[in-house]
Amino acid sequence: MSMLESTHIECPYCGEVIELLIDCSVDQQSYIEDCFVCCRPILLDIAVDTNGQAQVVARHEDEA
């Protein structure tokens, strides 16, 4: 069984829907990924629930 999950998010800058591959073997993660369309940095907060489903929050890099 693959621990990678494909998910789609909306870029908080340009609004374009982009695809991400999430490593669901890690319960909690935060990292920055550049938008594939506008190249601006997106802060991703990811939590994997008990069913192995990733919950992704995408924010501007400078949001607290």
Side-chain angles (χ1 to χ4, degrees), residues 42-61:
I42 304 168
L43 177 59
L44 299 169
D45 291 314
I46 302 165
V48 178
D49 65 20
T50 56
N51 295 324
Q53 298 295 309
Q55 306 301 315
V56 180
V57 176
R59 301 181 284 146
H60 287 216
E61 179 187 31

Side-chain angles (χ1 to χ4, degrees), residues 11-16 18 33-42:
C11 173
Y13 297 100
C14 69
E16 189 72 29
I18 59 174
E33 175 118 11
D34 289 341
C35 174
F36 303 123
V37 178
C38 71
C39 299
R40 295 189 67 187
I42 304 168

Side-chain angles (χ1 to χ4, degrees), residues 2-9 18-24 53-54 56:
S2 174
M3 296 303 289
L4 294 178
E5 177 182 317
S6 173
T7 190
H8 292 85
I9 63 160
I18 59 174
E19 181 180 16
L20 298 174
L21 280 177
I22 306 298
D23 181 358
C24 292
Q53 298 295 309
V56 180

